[in-house]
Amino acid sequence: MGIRLATAEDTKDILRLLIQVNNVHAKLRPDLFIMDKTKYDEESLRKIISDPQKPIFVCINENGELCGYGFCLIQKWEGNNLVSHKSIYIDDICVDEAHRKSHVATSIYEYIVGWARENGFYNITLNVWDGNEPAIAFYSKKCGMTVQKTVMEQIL
């Protein structure tokens, strides 16, 4: 298994996985997500892949198949009341359904941690939808992440 930055040639495989991760969210929140859709089309995804501020890391298995990804966003925090720092926000980690339970997500997360350390980042942040218990357990128990803040909502 190897991890590298995504290239334009990975677009179709990433789009396939984007449907899988969307469907996890659609099952949790059908009021917000539509089944079998993706948040990016092919053109938008190619633009993201070429943007160094939005690195996408892909996991390639021993058969040469793209079996997971980690979408990231580089954030710079500065302001009157903030200590200036760089964060890496993980927008999504997705593992192909056929490759789950084979430590792909752990490998991607650990790769992102190492990359962020090497590049002088202060922290890693991400959001997990309430009710996504497998993701909450993964990030808190396996990755050692802690709650930084809580987002609240009131549906009208």
Side-chain angles (χ1 to χ4, degrees):
M1 200 165 19
I3 298 173
R4 60 168 171 76
L5 281 169
T7 66
E9 290 75 32
D10 298 320
T11 302
K12 289 195 185 322
D13 286 326
I14 293 171
L15 286 169
R16 177 178 50 81
L17 295 182
L18 279 164
I19 292 171
Q20 291 182 24
V21 78
N22 177 78
N23 287 349
V24 168
H25 295 124
K27 288 175 187 168
L28 286 171
R29 293 296 305 262
D31 58 323
L32 297 176
F33 294 92
I34 301 168
M35 288 294 285
D36 298 322
K37 298 283 185 173
T38 66
K39 60 183 171 181
Y40 307 115
D41 61 20
E42 190 170 339
E43 181 182 339
S44 299
L45 182 55
R46 286 180 184 272
K47 285 180 185 174
I48 293 168
I49 288 170
S50 68
D51 186 343
Q53 296 301 304
K54 299 176 182 178
I56 302 172
F57 300 98
V58 293
C59 183
I60 308 299
N61 70 11
E62 51 281 342
N63 297 325
E65 302 166 321
L66 193 151
C67 58
Y69 68 68
F71 272 70
C72 298
L73 174 64
I74 294 172
Q75 300 175 316
K76 294 180 182 173
W77 300 97
E78 298 176 357
N80 293 336
N81 68 332
L82 294 176
V83 174
S84 295
H85 66 281
K86 290 190 311 182
S87 291
I88 187 137
Y89 172 74
I90 299 175
D91 187 40
D92 274 336
I93 289 181
C94 180
V95 175
D96 188 295
E97 294 167 337
H99 295 91
R100 294 197 180 140
K101 306 289 184 199
S102 59
H103 308 289
V104 172
T106 302
S107 296
I108 293 168
Y109 181 81
E110 289 174 353
Y111 187 91
I112 293 169
V113 169
W115 185 88
R117 280 191 178 123
E118 288 174 15
N119 288 281
F121 287 84
Y122 172 71
N123 64 350
I124 294 174
T125 62
L126 55 82
N127 295 326
V128 179
W129 285 94
D130 190 43
N132 190 347
E133 299 305 325
I136 293 168
F138 171 73
Y139 291 117
S140 63
K141 293 180 180 152
K142 292 217 175 185
C143 299
M145 296 190 88
T146 58
V147 175
Q148 180 191 47
K149 63 182 175 182
T150 302
V151 176
M152 308 295 287
E153 79 173 330
Q154 180 179 7
I155 296 173
L156 303 176

